[in-house]
Amino acid sequence: LAAANIQRAAIRAHLVSLLGPDGVIALPTTPGPAPPVNTPPAQLDAWRTRLISLTSIAGLAGLPQVHLPLARVDGLPVGLGLIGPPGSDEALLELTEGLAGLLLPGAEA
């Protein structure tokens, strides 16, 4: 546990240094479209492993993150995640509203 906490603190410090006081990290929220219901278990496990590498970043570092469902690929949803520095929750939501108004059809800014 102690070693994991040290590693988590290092990851957080690195991300906070990358973000600075007002930066944003933009990344896909999933490694691709949602897998079909009939995906074989081995492929589903591999997809979940890739998924966790994207979805755990903000939680691990204790940073705010929002998700924008931007598009569909082969009829399946894909999105964009935005991660902000500590305490940037409101600013991140304002940015998200602005982006939604520009990128999502029918969304109001």
Side-chain angles (χ1 to χ4, degrees):
L1 180 61
N5 283 333
I6 290 169
Q7 187 174 17
R8 180 186 351 197
I11 291 168
R12 177 181 168 83
H14 179 68
L15 287 169
V16 168
S17 73
L18 287 174
L19 287 164
D22 58 1
V24 174
I25 296 172
L27 69 162
T29 52
T30 63
V37 173
N38 59 351
T39 301
Q43 289 179 6
L44 193 56
D45 286 344
W47 190 86
R48 285 181 179 142
T49 298
R50 292 190 318 271
L51 174 69
I52 289 170
S53 72
L54 293 170
T55 60
S56 65
I57 297 169
L60 179 65
L63 301 173
Q65 180 175 13
V66 294
H67 167 75
L68 286 161
L70 289 181
R72 290 189 171 272
V73 173
D74 296 330
L76 300 168
V78 294
L80 177 69
L82 302 174
I83 300 173
S88 68
D89 304 59
E90 289 186 32
L92 195 58
L93 289 173
E94 289 175 12
L95 173 62
T96 302
E97 287 179 342
L99 287 174
L102 293 171
L103 301 174
L104 296 173
E108 296 181 23

